[in-house]
Amino acid sequence: MVGVVLLLTACTSTSEGLCESAKDCLPGLSCQEGVCVGCGGDGECNAWEACTTDRRCELRAGRCAKNAHCEAWETCNADNTCVLAASACTSSADCKAHETCDETQKLCLLQEGRCNSNTDCESGYLWAATCDADNRCHSEPVAGNDVLIWGTLSEGACYRDAIASVLSPSRVQVGFGCGAGRPDATVSPSGRIYYVDDGMGPNRLRVFVPDGFPIKDGAHTYPDEGFKNDPVVPTPGCPADVGIRTFIMQAGTGSIIYNCTEDKAGWRYYDTHGAVVTDQQYPVAWNAENYLLIRGDYGTASVQAPDRTTVLPVVGLPDRWAYIDARADSTGFRMALTDSSSTSRQQLWHISNQGQATLVGTYGAYPEHALSYAGGGGVLDNAGALVAQSSRDVSTVDLVIRRTPDGAPGVIIYAEDESPAKVNWQADYKVNFIFMHGSYLFAGP
């Protein structure tokens, strides 16, 4: 009879009916001995719940049993408390130092140029970028991938100039005027592009700032006058109405020396304060130890010491040679040349700061079906390989060849006919590819 009384009391106090488990009851009720019953106090609810006046267990403010009980920018933690979800915020104080809180979306957003992972650095870089420990995107070439193409997105059109790594022809950067960069550009140690702009008035030395593809009439287009946001490097050694002819960059520091178009001799170079740095003819490379490699006339070379008065003749080179390219390295210089005293072999030589030349190796043959132009030529990459323009022997398809100084046959690293069918303006600049019509190759100091 007691059991009957208890059952009747429960049914009288709650009209929610019979049950097998709590899921058979209305929210806030529990299943006890087959009957849905309400709570008699907070102690009969979970710790994150409270018993209401109508005897229902309801969530306390800020507490939860699952994520759906929280705001969209919150998550339910193990203590059944609603807390900010990862990357969510109510103010910038909730974000990392390199993030800003968007208080409308309650999201921590990256500040300009910052990152949390490599995926935040996927676009806008010449080389694949990584997220550094300081949460900044860093993009620099690995060995053998620092040669760039100064080309175009429309063959024959200087108003669509572009640059790209020779190994990544679809990763283009744009924003030049006609005449910019031809034929002088250098990649600085920090990865920025310095170039001679001879498109308007006296030639100026600029630092390239990439531009986007603006939308006009519903379609993307090449940026007009993109050079205008490229800072001009001071060249006070040249009169205001005189431009610069060419410039040389120092390895490691990125310092600049340049000469002026009015310098008929062609070898007086100034620094950015206007002081004369060297008047030795044809400086071709400047290393971090402040030595200059000088290419003289008639197959001669010398090294100018940091005091700028000591000039050491380079010894050990072939009797007759033709210059191709030179770059600084940690112990002197690398120079590619054609040995004209034997069989016109193209070779890589190391030249020490004291002027001693040592043969590193001989470059191998061009690959099959790639033309070797008379006189050779090319640009040294930072691994000592010689990178040169070529074309297929059966067509006018432009190629780029890379040859190492170990005698191995060269390989094709760029082929114009590997371009997608629709690129650049035909693809609304969403798919891009750089072409080599009227272009040239360049690299770092």
Side-chain angles (χ1 to χ4, degrees):
M1 186 66 179
V2 174
V4 174
V5 172
L6 289 174
L7 180 61
L8 290 174
T9 300
C11 289
T12 300
S13 61
T14 62
S15 58
E16 310 306 339
L18 303 178
C19 58
E20 294 182 358
S21 66
K23 68 181 181 180
D24 298 323
C25 303
L26 292 175
L29 302 179
S30 61
C31 185
Q32 299 181 19
E33 298 182 1
V35 178
C36 294
V37 298
C39 55
D42 291 350
E44 296 181 14
C45 301
N46 292 313
W48 56 89
E49 297 173 323
C51 187
T52 64
T53 55
D54 59 353
R55 304 182 65 189
R56 302 292 180 91
C57 289
E58 292 187 355
L59 292 169
R60 297 177 185 271
R63 306 302 294 274
C64 55
K66 56 186 179 180
N67 289 340
H69 294 150
C70 302
E71 299 287 353
W73 57 87
E74 297 176 322
T75 186
C76 188
N77 70 6
D79 295 328
N80 296 95
T81 302
C82 291
V83 296
L84 281 173
S87 300
C89 59
T90 56
S91 72
S92 292
D94 299 321
C95 302
K96 299 174 183 176
H98 59 280
E99 297 175 328
T100 300
C101 183
D102 182 328
E103 296 185 13
T104 300
Q105 302 181 67
K106 306 293 183 183
L107 288 176
C108 291
L109 303 180
L110 289 167
Q111 297 171 7
E112 184 70 24
R114 308 304 290 272
C115 57
N116 285 317
S117 66
N118 291 349
T119 57
D120 297 323
C121 306
E122 288 183 340
S123 62
Y125 296 90
L126 283 170
W127 301 282
T130 57
C131 189
D132 284 354
D134 63 353
N135 296 100
R136 296 183 186 276
C137 293
H138 183 73
S139 173
E140 69 177 15
V142 297
N145 184 26
D146 67 330
V147 175
L148 304 186
I149 299 173
W150 191 301
T152 180
L153 301 185
S154 180
E155 291 190 282
C158 70
Y159 52 87
R160 286 181 180 161
D161 275 11
I163 57 174
S165 166
V166 73
L167 297 184
S168 304
S170 61
R171 193 188 292 269
V172 303
Q173 290 187 341
V174 299
F176 301 99
C178 284
R182 300 171 185 268
D184 205 357
T186 298
V187 187
S188 76
S190 65
R192 304 196 73 179
I193 310 300
Y194 286 64
Y195 70 95
V196 176
D197 180 8
D198 61 356
M200 296 180 64
N203 300 355
R204 297 298 180 224
L205 178 60
R206 293 184 181 270
V207 184
F208 174 55
V209 176
D211 294 279
F213 293 99
I215 296 178
K216 291 184 179 180
D217 299 325
H220 289 89
T221 185
Y222 191 92
D224 291 333
E225 299 184 322
F227 66 91
K228 286 191 173 181
N229 66 344
D230 296 350
V232 175
V233 178
T235 54
C238 305
D241 59 345
V242 173
I244 74 166
R245 176 185 287 114
T246 187
F247 70 99
I248 297 173
M249 181 176 289
Q250 184 178 23
T253 69
S255 297
I256 294 292
I257 57 175
Y258 56 92
N259 71 345
C260 310
T261 54
E262 70 170 10
D263 181 8
K264 304 303 182 182
W267 54 71
R268 178 170 295 170
Y269 280 75
Y270 303 86
D271 64 19
T272 51
H273 300 290
V276 175
V277 175
T278 181
D279 57 4
Q280 296 292 311
Q281 58 183 349
Y282 312 133
V284 292
W286 186 14
N287 65 24
E289 290 74 31
N290 205 17
Y291 289 84
L292 279 165
L293 178 62
I294 310 296
R295 176 177 65 88
D297 290 327
Y298 312 114
T300 61
S302 59
V303 174
Q304 187 178 36
D307 63 15
R308 297 294 174 249
T309 58
T310 303
V311 178
L312 303 170
V314 174
V315 296
L317 292 174
D319 293 335
R320 292 184 294 112
W321 55 272
Y323 174 81
I324 299 176
D325 192 32
R327 293 189 68 165
D329 75 4
S330 59
T331 59
F333 305 91
R334 291 171 174 168
M335 186 168 73
L337 57 80
T338 299
D339 181 358
S340 306
S341 63
S342 57
T343 56
S344 296
R345 294 173 299 180
Q346 292 184 324
Q347 300 170 333
L348 178 66
W349 288 75
H350 178 267
I351 299 174
S352 72
N353 288 334
Q354 291 69 45
Q356 179 62 52
T358 305
L359 178 63
V360 177
T362 299
Y363 294 104
Y366 274 59
E368 188 177 7
H369 302 304
L371 294 176
S372 174
Y373 296 122
V379 172
L380 283 172
D381 69 17
N382 55 14
L386 192 58
V387 181
Q389 293 179 244
S390 178
S391 63
R392 297 198 193 280
D393 59 5
V394 294
S395 68
T396 58
V397 173
D398 289 320
L399 304 175
V400 177
I401 310 302
R402 184 175 188 265
R403 295 184 296 149
T404 53
D406 57 2
V411 296
I412 297 172
I413 58 174
Y414 165 94
E416 198 170 64
D417 56 359
E418 292 179 356
S419 163
K422 286 189 176 181
V423 292
N424 306 332
W425 64 272
Q426 292 179 321
D428 195 30
Y429 292 110
K430 295 175 182 177
V431 178
N432 295 303
F433 189 90
I434 194 166
F435 294 98
M436 296 190 64
H437 185 86
S439 68
Y440 72 100
L441 304 175
F442 67 100

